[in-house]
Amino acid sequence: MTSHDPRPSAGGWRGWREAVREGVRLWFAPARLRAEGETPDYRFSLANERTFLAWLRTALALIGGGFAVDQFLPDQDRPLRTLLAVALLIGGALCALRAVNHWLRCERAMRRGEDLPVSRFPTVLALAVGVLSVLMVLVVAFGWAS
Amino acid sequence: MAWRRTTLTCAVVGVLAGRQALVGGSRPVAILAVALIALLWLAFLAVAQRRIQAMGVPRPRALSPRAAMAAAWCTVVLGALGAGVLR
């Protein structure tokens, strides 16, 4: 979630502080979102909602992957297996939180008529999943069996 | 369709989580974990069902922030619960 580029309007420390304050406000008083700006075309909101759900499914897939690692690699060393499973579970939880955060920020940007927020999260997630996959292939192929 | 697909994914993950909890036998803690997982899935299903019904009009309103938060927190809690039932 911290991988977002909030693009603060004012530069420097004050801009970041304002961006954090806005983020907190968005999370703890999300209903105020509807008081901002103008209601966008409903098709845009529905597209944003579908993207949110796609990210939520990604989060669920990561969590399911965590369970799968723990259940279907029983011959592997326990600490290593648990580490992989916990990494996937944490990744899934972060992905779900990021999904709702990004949905809120996109919705707010659309209501205000601003550009949509850009994010490095997809790149970070892709790299993390790639590294974990290679690690799992190595673990399965070369052992560390208990 | 997107909500149904997501509810289905949640159900599959819930089944895997339930299986995980019951691997070590049906102890009281395991039964409690399975009950919590079932409750979480039911909560997700309720959010999805409400949203599907709200979309059955020509110009549906945007998803409410509360529903989005509820769906996301169900996923996060499922993950946290999963970490608790790892072997």
Side-chain angles (χ1 to χ4, degrees):
Chain A
M1 287 204 310
T2 49
S3 61
H4 288 109
D5 178 9
R7 302 264 165 130
S9 48
W13 172 243
R14 253 180 65 190
W16 279 103
R17 212 171 51 184
E18 183 56 34
V20 168
R21 195 180 298 153
E22 283 224 357
V24 171
R25 205 179 299 148
L26 208 56
W27 266 83
F28 290 97
R32 281 173 59 179
L33 187 71
R34 282 184 170 161
E36 286 199 43
E38 289 177 11
T39 307
D41 187 322
Y42 68 96
R43 287 169 294 188
F44 299 155
S45 288
L46 291 180
N48 191 23
E49 183 177 339
R50 283 194 297 273
T51 308
F52 163 67
L53 289 172
W55 275 109
L56 216 53
R57 285 195 296 278
T58 307
L60 285 165
L62 287 172
I63 292 171
F67 294 138
V69 164
D70 200 49
Q71 290 178 32
F72 302 119
L73 294 178
D75 298 332
Q76 305 305 322
D77 191 32
R78 186 172 180 268
L80 190 67
R81 193 183 62 205
T82 306
L83 184 77
L84 287 172
V86 168
L88 283 166
L89 290 175
I90 290 175
L94 282 179
C95 198
L97 291 175
R98 187 267 175 188
V100 77
N101 187 50
H102 195 68
W103 175 81
L104 282 166
R105 293 176 66 213
C106 284
E107 202 68 23
R108 186 181 60 184
M110 289 194 297
R111 296 191 75 94
R112 288 178 175 175
E114 294 172 351
D115 288 346
L116 292 179
V118 288
S119 168
R120 293 188 201 96
F121 186 84
T123 315
V124 173
L125 182 70
L127 288 173
V129 169
V131 168
L132 268 179
S133 308
V134 169
L135 198 63
M136 266 187 250
V137 168
L138 289 176
V139 165
V140 173
F142 298 111
W144 282 298
S146 53
Chain B
M1 275 304 277
W3 275 102
R4 289 194 183 96
R5 262 202 305 264
T6 313
T7 311
L8 188 63
T9 313
C10 188
V12 172
V13 174
V15 168
L16 274 175
R19 187 177 184 272
Q20 179 82 48
L22 291 172
V23 158
S26 53
R27 295 159 298 153
V29 181
I31 303 291
L32 182 69
V34 171
L36 282 175
I37 291 161
L39 270 179
L40 276 174
W41 182 76
L42 283 174
F44 197 100
L45 182 69
V47 172
Q49 189 59 29
R50 276 178 67 116
R51 184 58 189 153
I52 289 167
Q53 280 175 348
M55 281 201 288
V57 292
R59 278 175 184 271
R61 285 191 73 184
L63 173 68
S64 75
R66 192 183 293 176
M69 288 273 184
W73 280 110
C74 278
T75 310
V76 173
V77 175
L78 197 59
L81 209 61
V85 295
L86 287 182
R87 278 178 295 162

